[in-house]
PDB file of all heavy atoms in Angstrom:
ATOM      1  N   ARG B 587       7.600 112.145  47.460  1.00 85.00           N
ATOM      2  CA  ARG B 587       6.472 112.180  48.410  1.00 85.00           C
ATOM      3  C   ARG B 587       6.648 111.103  49.462  1.00 85.00           C
ATOM      4  O   ARG B 587       5.836 110.951  50.348  1.00 85.00           O
ATOM      5  CB  ARG B 587       5.160 111.923  47.679  1.00 85.00           C
ATOM      6  CG  ARG B 587       4.788 113.038  46.740  1.00 85.00           C
ATOM      7  CD  ARG B 587       3.787 112.531  45.743  1.00 85.00           C
ATOM      8  NE  ARG B 587       2.485 112.301  46.371  1.00 85.00           N
ATOM      9  CZ  ARG B 587       1.508 111.628  45.789  1.00 85.00           C
ATOM     10  NH1 ARG B 587       1.678 111.096  44.600  1.00 85.00           N
ATOM     11  NH2 ARG B 587       0.344 111.464  46.385  1.00 85.00           N
ATOM     12  N   TYR B 588       7.695 110.294  49.293  1.00 86.00           N
ATOM     13  CA  TYR B 588       7.882 109.154  50.210  1.00 86.00           C
ATOM     14  C   TYR B 588       8.925 109.544  51.219  1.00 86.00           C
ATOM     15  O   TYR B 588      10.053 109.854  50.850  1.00 86.00           O
ATOM     16  CB  TYR B 588       8.326 107.936  49.424  1.00 86.00           C
ATOM     17  CG  TYR B 588       7.304 107.502  48.409  1.00 86.00           C
ATOM     18  CD1 TYR B 588       7.206 108.153  47.179  1.00 86.00           C
ATOM     19  CD2 TYR B 588       6.390 106.507  48.710  1.00 86.00           C
ATOM     20  CE1 TYR B 588       6.252 107.803  46.258  1.00 86.00           C
ATOM     21  CE2 TYR B 588       5.432 106.119  47.780  1.00 86.00           C
ATOM     22  CZ  TYR B 588       5.358 106.776  46.553  1.00 86.00           C
ATOM     23  OH  TYR B 588       4.417 106.413  45.658  1.00 86.00           O
ATOM     24  N   PHE B 589       8.540 109.518  52.484  1.00 83.00           N
ATOM     25  CA  PHE B 589       9.567 109.769  53.500  1.00 83.00           C
ATOM     26  C   PHE B 589       9.270 108.945  54.752  1.00 83.00           C
ATOM     27  O   PHE B 589       8.112 108.583  54.992  1.00 83.00           O
ATOM     28  CB  PHE B 589       9.714 111.256  53.841  1.00 83.00           C
ATOM     29  CG  PHE B 589       8.408 111.955  53.965  1.00 83.00           C
ATOM     30  CD1 PHE B 589       7.725 111.959  55.180  1.00 83.00           C
ATOM     31  CD2 PHE B 589       7.860 112.626  52.885  1.00 83.00           C
ATOM     32  CE1 PHE B 589       6.517 112.614  55.298  1.00 83.00           C
ATOM     33  CE2 PHE B 589       6.651 113.275  53.010  1.00 83.00           C
ATOM     34  CZ  PHE B 589       5.977 113.260  54.199  1.00 83.00           C
ATOM     35  N   PRO B 590      10.291 108.685  55.519  1.00 84.00           N
ATOM     36  CA  PRO B 590      10.078 107.858  56.724  1.00 84.00           C
ATOM     37  C   PRO B 590       9.023 108.470  57.622  1.00 84.00           C
ATOM     38  O   PRO B 590       9.044 109.668  57.888  1.00 84.00           O
ATOM     39  CB  PRO B 590      11.435 107.874  57.416  1.00 84.00           C
ATOM     40  CG  PRO B 590      12.414 108.168  56.321  1.00 84.00           C
ATOM     41  CD  PRO B 590      11.693 109.045  55.360  1.00 84.00           C
ATOM     42  N   GLY B 591       8.120 107.634  58.053  1.00 78.00           N
ATOM     43  CA  GLY B 591       7.071 108.146  58.944  1.00 78.00           C
ATOM     44  C   GLY B 591       5.926 108.791  58.198  1.00 78.00           C
ATOM     45  O   GLY B 591       4.930 109.191  58.806  1.00 78.00           O
ATOM     46  N   GLY B 592       6.034 108.884  56.883  1.00 74.00           N
ATOM     47  CA  GLY B 592       4.978 109.523  56.109  1.00 74.00           C
ATOM     48  C   GLY B 592       3.866 108.538  55.786  1.00 74.00           C
ATOM     49  O   GLY B 592       3.964 107.363  56.077  1.00 74.00           O
ATOM     50  N   GLU B 593       2.777 109.080  55.192  1.00 70.00           N
ATOM     51  CA  GLU B 593       1.654 108.209  54.923  1.00 70.00           C
ATOM     52  C   GLU B 593       1.789 107.480  53.590  1.00 70.00           C
ATOM     53  O   GLU B 593       1.179 106.460  53.366  1.00 70.00           O
ATOM     54  CB  GLU B 593       0.351 109.007  54.912  1.00 70.00           C
ATOM     55  CG  GLU B 593      -0.185 109.262  56.291  1.00 70.00           C
ATOM     56  CD  GLU B 593      -0.331 110.740  56.610  1.00 70.00           C
ATOM     57  OE1 GLU B 593      -0.677 111.510  55.696  1.00 70.00           O
ATOM     58  OE2 GLU B 593      -0.045 111.119  57.761  1.00 70.00           O
ATOM     59  N   MET B 594       2.588 108.064  52.673  1.00 67.00           N
ATOM     60  CA  MET B 594       2.664 107.472  51.341  1.00 67.00           C
ATOM     61  C   MET B 594       3.444 106.169  51.425  1.00 67.00           C
ATOM     62  O   MET B 594       4.522 106.089  52.008  1.00 67.00           O
ATOM     63  CB  MET B 594       3.410 108.421  50.399  1.00 67.00           C
ATOM     64  CG  MET B 594       2.573 109.556  49.913  1.00 67.00           C
ATOM     65  SD  MET B 594       1.099 109.032  49.045  1.00 67.00           S
ATOM     66  CE  MET B 594       1.819 108.347  47.563  1.00 67.00           C
ATOM     67  N   MET B 595       2.872 105.146  50.850  1.00 71.00           N
ATOM     68  CA  MET B 595       3.563 103.861  50.846  1.00 71.00           C
ATOM     69  C   MET B 595       3.032 103.077  49.675  1.00 71.00           C
ATOM     70  O   MET B 595       1.842 102.952  49.477  1.00 71.00           O
ATOM     71  CB  MET B 595       3.279 103.119  52.141  1.00 71.00           C
ATOM     72  CG  MET B 595       4.094 101.885  52.332  1.00 71.00           C
ATOM     73  SD  MET B 595       5.685 102.212  53.005  1.00 71.00           S
ATOM     74  CE  MET B 595       5.299 102.336  54.740  1.00 71.00           C
ATOM     75  N   ASP B 596       3.958 102.585  48.912  1.00 76.00           N
ATOM     76  CA  ASP B 596       3.566 101.775  47.758  1.00 76.00           C
ATOM     77  C   ASP B 596       4.161 100.408  48.015  1.00 76.00           C
ATOM     78  O   ASP B 596       5.155 100.291  48.715  1.00 76.00           O
ATOM     79  CB  ASP B 596       4.233 102.411  46.497  1.00 76.00           C
ATOM     80  CG  ASP B 596       3.456 102.056  45.262  1.00 76.00           C
ATOM     81  OD1 ASP B 596       2.550 101.213  45.358  1.00 76.00           O
ATOM     82  OD2 ASP B 596       3.751 102.633  44.202  1.00 76.00           O
ATOM     83  N   GLY B 597       3.531  99.389  47.517  1.00 77.00           N
ATOM     84  CA  GLY B 597       4.075  98.074  47.815  1.00 77.00           C
ATOM     85  C   GLY B 597       3.766  97.096  46.696  1.00 77.00           C
ATOM     86  O   GLY B 597       2.890  97.330  45.870  1.00 77.00           O
ATOM     87  N   THR B 598       4.525  96.041  46.669  1.00 78.00           N
ATOM     88  CA  THR B 598       4.316  95.046  45.607  1.00 78.00           C
ATOM     89  C   THR B 598       4.939  93.731  46.020  1.00 78.00           C
ATOM     90  O   THR B 598       5.666  93.660  46.991  1.00 78.00           O
ATOM     91  CB  THR B 598       4.966  95.532  44.290  1.00 78.00           C
ATOM     92  OG1 THR B 598       4.680  94.577  43.289  1.00 78.00           O
ATOM     93  CG2 THR B 598       6.455  95.629  44.445  1.00 78.00           C
ATOM     94  N   GLN B 599       4.642  92.694  45.231  1.00 76.00           N
ATOM     95  CA  GLN B 599       5.306  91.419  45.425  1.00 76.00           C
ATOM     96  C   GLN B 599       6.499  91.356  44.472  1.00 76.00           C
ATOM     97  O   GLN B 599       6.357  91.691  43.291  1.00 76.00           O
ATOM     98  CB  GLN B 599       4.358  90.276  45.104  1.00 76.00           C
ATOM     99  CG  GLN B 599       3.105  90.231  45.943  1.00 76.00           C
ATOM    100  CD  GLN B 599       3.370  89.891  47.408  1.00 76.00           C
ATOM    101  OE1 GLN B 599       3.095  90.690  48.271  1.00 76.00           O
ATOM    102  NE2 GLN B 599       3.929  88.693  47.636  1.00 76.00           N
ATOM    103  N   ILE B 600       7.635  90.935  44.958  1.00 82.00           N
ATOM    104  CA  ILE B 600       8.760  90.794  44.053  1.00 82.00           C
ATOM    105  C   ILE B 600       9.395  89.407  44.254  1.00 82.00           C
ATOM    106  O   ILE B 600       9.209  88.800  45.315  1.00 82.00           O
ATOM    107  CB  ILE B 600       9.870  91.850  44.279  1.00 82.00           C
ATOM    108  CG1 ILE B 600      10.359  91.846  45.725  1.00 82.00           C
ATOM    109  CG2 ILE B 600       9.363  93.228  43.896  1.00 82.00           C
ATOM    110  CD1 ILE B 600      11.564  92.744  45.943  1.00 82.00           C
ATOM    111  N   HIS B 601      10.102  88.940  43.236  1.00 79.00           N
ATOM    112  CA  HIS B 601      10.829  87.707  43.433  1.00 79.00           C
ATOM    113  C   HIS B 601      12.123  87.791  42.626  1.00 79.00           C
ATOM    114  O   HIS B 601      12.216  88.510  41.631  1.00 79.00           O
ATOM    115  CB  HIS B 601      10.005  86.492  43.040  1.00 79.00           C
ATOM    116  CG  HIS B 601       9.554  86.457  41.631  1.00 79.00           C
ATOM    117  ND1 HIS B 601      10.303  85.927  40.611  1.00 79.00           N
ATOM    118  CD2 HIS B 601       8.425  86.946  41.034  1.00 79.00           C
ATOM    119  CE1 HIS B 601       9.658  86.045  39.484  1.00 79.00           C
ATOM    120  NE2 HIS B 601       8.524  86.668  39.698  1.00 79.00           N
ATOM    121  N   PRO B 602      13.141  87.072  43.051  1.00 82.00           N
ATOM    122  CA  PRO B 602      14.419  87.113  42.343  1.00 82.00           C
ATOM    123  C   PRO B 602      14.270  86.494  40.960  1.00 82.00           C
ATOM    124  O   PRO B 602      13.478  85.559  40.792  1.00 82.00           O
ATOM    125  CB  PRO B 602      15.349  86.244  43.203  1.00 82.00           C
ATOM    126  CG  PRO B 602      14.607  85.949  44.443  1.00 82.00           C
ATOM    127  CD  PRO B 602      13.164  86.123  44.166  1.00 82.00           C
ATOM    128  N   LYS B 603      15.006  87.021  40.025  1.00 77.00           N
ATOM    129  CA  LYS B 603      14.860  86.500  38.656  1.00 77.00           C
ATOM    130  C   LYS B 603      15.824  85.335  38.410  1.00 77.00           C
ATOM    131  O   LYS B 603      16.949  85.359  38.870  1.00 77.00           O
ATOM    132  CB  LYS B 603      15.169  87.635  37.664  1.00 77.00           C
ATOM    133  CG  LYS B 603      14.718  87.302  36.242  1.00 77.00           C
ATOM    134  CD  LYS B 603      15.403  88.178  35.235  1.00 77.00           C
ATOM    135  CE  LYS B 603      15.175  87.612  33.856  1.00 77.00           C
ATOM    136  NZ  LYS B 603      16.143  88.166  32.914  1.00 77.00           N
ATOM    137  N   ASN B 604      15.320  84.373  37.662  1.00 66.00           N
ATOM    138  CA  ASN B 604      16.152  83.239  37.210  1.00 66.00           C
ATOM    139  C   ASN B 604      16.898  82.580  38.340  1.00 66.00           C
ATOM    140  O   ASN B 604      18.093  82.355  38.268  1.00 66.00           O
ATOM    141  CB  ASN B 604      17.191  83.719  36.194  1.00 66.00           C
ATOM    142  CG  ASN B 604      16.513  84.197  34.942  1.00 66.00           C
ATOM    143  OD1 ASN B 604      15.379  83.798  34.672  1.00 66.00           O
ATOM    144  ND2 ASN B 604      17.202  85.045  34.216  1.00 66.00           N
ATOM    145  N   GLU B 605      16.242  82.340  39.407  1.00 60.00           N
ATOM    146  CA  GLU B 605      16.942  81.656  40.464  1.00 60.00           C
ATOM    147  C   GLU B 605      16.367  80.271  40.593  1.00 60.00           C
ATOM    148  O   GLU B 605      15.167  80.113  40.844  1.00 60.00           O
ATOM    149  CB  GLU B 605      16.853  82.424  41.765  1.00 60.00           C
ATOM    150  CG  GLU B 605      17.563  83.743  41.651  1.00 60.00           C
ATOM    151  CD  GLU B 605      18.494  83.996  42.803  1.00 60.00           C
ATOM    152  OE1 GLU B 605      18.450  83.248  43.791  1.00 60.00           O
ATOM    153  OE2 GLU B 605      19.265  84.956  42.714  1.00 60.00           O
ATOM    154  N   THR B 606      17.194  79.317  40.482  1.00 50.00           N
ATOM    155  CA  THR B 606      16.693  77.942  40.544  1.00 50.00           C
ATOM    156  C   THR B 606      16.507  77.514  41.982  1.00 50.00           C
ATOM    157  O   THR B 606      15.676  76.675  42.289  1.00 50.00           O
ATOM    158  CB  THR B 606      17.676  76.994  39.858  1.00 50.00           C
ATOM    159  OG1 THR B 606      18.988  77.315  40.312  1.00 50.00           O
ATOM    160  CG2 THR B 606      17.595  77.105  38.364  1.00 50.00           C
ATOM    161  N   SER B 607      17.286  78.127  42.866  1.00 49.00           N
ATOM    162  CA  SER B 607      17.324  77.658  44.257  1.00 49.00           C
ATOM    163  C   SER B 607      15.934  77.713  44.911  1.00 49.00           C
ATOM    164  O   SER B 607      15.431  76.708  45.391  1.00 49.00           O
ATOM    165  CB  SER B 607      18.303  78.476  45.078  1.00 49.00           C
ATOM    166  OG  SER B 607      17.953  79.857  45.034  1.00 49.00           O
ATOM    167  N   ASN B 608      15.346  78.881  44.896  1.00 54.00           N
ATOM    168  CA  ASN B 608      14.068  78.974  45.601  1.00 54.00           C
ATOM    169  C   ASN B 608      13.124  79.933  44.879  1.00 54.00           C
ATOM    170  O   ASN B 608      13.556  80.913  44.292  1.00 54.00           O
ATOM    171  CB  ASN B 608      14.260  79.452  47.040  1.00 54.00           C
ATOM    172  CG  ASN B 608      15.122  80.693  47.092  1.00 54.00           C
ATOM    173  OD1 ASN B 608      15.504  81.211  46.047  1.00 54.00           O
ATOM    174  ND2 ASN B 608      15.415  81.160  48.261  1.00 54.00           N
ATOM    175  N   GLY B 609      11.893  79.621  44.944  1.00 61.00           N
ATOM    176  CA  GLY B 609      10.927  80.493  44.289  1.00 61.00           C
ATOM    177  C   GLY B 609      10.333  81.508  45.245  1.00 61.00           C
ATOM    178  O   GLY B 609       9.148  81.667  45.337  1.00 61.00           O
TER     179      GLY B 609
END
Side-chain angles (χ1 to χ4, degrees):
Chain B
R587 293 161 71 193
Y588 298 81
F589 43 85
E593 278 121 37
M594 283 301 291
M595 188 84 82
D596 205 350
T598 183
Q599 300 292 117
I600 57 172
H601 61 88
K603 195 198 167 198
N604 295 337
E605 295 229 350
T606 46
S607 58
N608 50 3

